[in-house]
Every structure is written in structure tokens, then in C-alpha cells.
């Protein structure tokens, strides 16, 4: 199936997910979707419809644009999926690290995880927290989320390093100007 068709299906899924997650307009199927999204994603469920819409729109619109000379290539469905999944797992893991109760009884497991990162956050954040502590888990999950954004936007790490160097130079010039102004005052 061409990327445009996948994009259309993902856009339809985004609309149905929005109806189910944000309102009660999708009927019993929407309630089931809301409960399933809460179990799987926890609080991150509210990001699912716009994220699905963005991925679907990118697949529908971007493949028709020509490659930019020396720029980014057309949208790769595999890159969109990989980047989105990394960001999703990192977000759910961070929510789990920040909001999940420290001990949850087995019968109340899903109810305890819904206001946090859901089952996905529990699977991603739980082992990291157990092995690295909360701060270590957060560092790993933030790094995973940033890598996911780089993959999603097809931004090379060298470009980010260039931005960091330019930002450091600008901050240095600003600090020097402030120091000179303070000396003169």
C-alpha cells in the first residue's frame, strides 16, 4: 500500500481516537478505545490523536513534495514509525517515573498506572528506575526521547552540535557584553 493510503488510514484513526479519548462521541468502541489507551499509554493518551494526525498528514502531504537539493529526503514511513515510537516510549516512561505509585497491588495495577505512563511507561520506566534510580532513568528516557525527535525530523546530530556551538558563542558574547556593562557602571 502506498504511503498516502497509510497516511489516510492513520488520519482516520486519529479522528476516531480523538472522539474516543476526548469525548464520548464514538460510542462503545470509543469508550473501549479510551480505556485501552489509558491502560497502554496512561496520561500520554491525550497526545495520541494529535501525534497520529501529524504522522498521517506527513505521509499524505510530504511524499508529493520533491526532494530538496542537499536537504531532507521525502518522508520515510519507517523513520516516522521509529521516531514516533521512541518519543512515545520515552514520554510514557517519564510519566511513569514521575507519577506512578511506588508499589501497586496486582489487582489495582492498571488503575494505578492510568494516571501515570500506563503499561508502556511501566515497561520502559520500571526497569530503568530499578537499575538506575529515578534520576538515572529520567536521563536515559530524556535521551531516548531526544534521539526519537532527531530520527523523526531526520536531523543529523552534527547539525545539533553546530547549533549548540553557535548558541554557546552567542551566550559567551552576551555574557561578555553584560560583564563590560557592569564594569562601566
Amino acid at each position: 500500500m502506498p504511503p498516502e493510503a497509510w497516511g489516510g488510514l492513520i488520519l482516520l484513526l486519529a479522528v476516531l481516537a480523538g472522539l474516543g479519548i476526548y469525548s464520548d462521541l464514538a460510542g462503545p468502541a470509543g469508550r473501549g478505545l479510551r480505556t485501552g489507551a489509558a491502560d497502554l499509554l496512561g496520561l500520554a493518551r491525550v497526545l495520541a490523536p494529535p501525534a497520529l494526525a501529524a504522522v498521517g498528514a506527513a505521509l499524505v502531504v510530504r511524499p508529493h513534495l520533491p526532494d530538496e537539493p542537499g536537504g531532507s529526503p521525502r518522508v520515510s514511513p519507517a523513520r516516522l514509525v521509529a521516531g514516533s515510537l521512541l518519543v512515545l516510549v520515552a514520554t510514557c516512561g517519564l510519566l511513569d517515573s514521575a507519577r506512578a505509585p511506588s508499589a501497586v497491588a496486582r489487582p489495582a495495577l492498571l488503575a494505578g498506572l492510568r494516571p501515570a505512563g500506563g503499561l508502556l511507561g511501566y515497561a520502559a520506566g520500571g526497569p530503568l528506575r530499578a537499575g538506575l534510580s529515578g534520576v538515572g532513568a529520567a536521563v536515559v528516557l530524556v535521551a531516548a526521547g531526544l534521539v526519537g525527535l532527531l530520527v523523526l525530523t531526520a536531523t543529523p546530530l552534527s547539525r545539533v552540535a553546530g547549533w549548540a556551538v553557535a548558541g554557546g558563542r552567542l551566550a559567551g558574547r552576551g555574557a561578555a557584553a553584560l560583564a563590560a556593562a557592569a564594569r562601566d557602571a
Side-chain angles (χ1 to χ4, degrees):
M1 189 168 3
E4 296 88 353
W6 282 109
L9 287 174
I10 292 171
L11 283 170
L12 176 63
L13 181 60
V15 170
L16 293 175
L19 290 173
I21 291 171
Y22 302 140
S23 69
D24 201 19
L25 297 177
R31 284 188 290 281
L33 184 87
R34 181 180 328 135
T35 302
D39 291 346
L40 182 63
L41 305 174
L43 278 180
R45 70 185 172 274
V46 299
L47 301 174
L52 286 168
V55 170
L59 288 172
V60 169
V61 174
R62 185 74 177 152
H64 298 292
L65 301 176
D67 288 344
E68 301 162 16
S72 62
R74 294 181 186 191
V75 169
S76 161
R79 190 185 81 234
L80 279 176
V81 169
S84 298
L85 284 176
L86 268 173
V87 170
L88 177 66
V89 168
T91 302
C92 289
L94 285 167
L95 284 169
D96 182 74
S97 292
R99 297 191 51 128
S102 56
V104 178
R106 192 177 269 304
L109 179 65
L110 288 178
L113 297 178
R114 285 180 188 142
L119 287 172
L120 186 59
Y122 182 71
L128 286 173
R129 248 190 353 267
L132 299 174
S133 81
V135 174
V139 168
V140 170
L141 291 166
V142 166
L146 291 174
V147 167
L149 287 174
L150 291 176
V151 170
L152 195 58
T153 60
T155 303
L157 194 54
S158 60
R159 185 175 300 162
V160 174
W163 292 337
V165 168
R169 286 183 184 144
L170 184 62
R173 280 183 276 193
L178 282 175
R183 255 191 328 265
D184 295 340

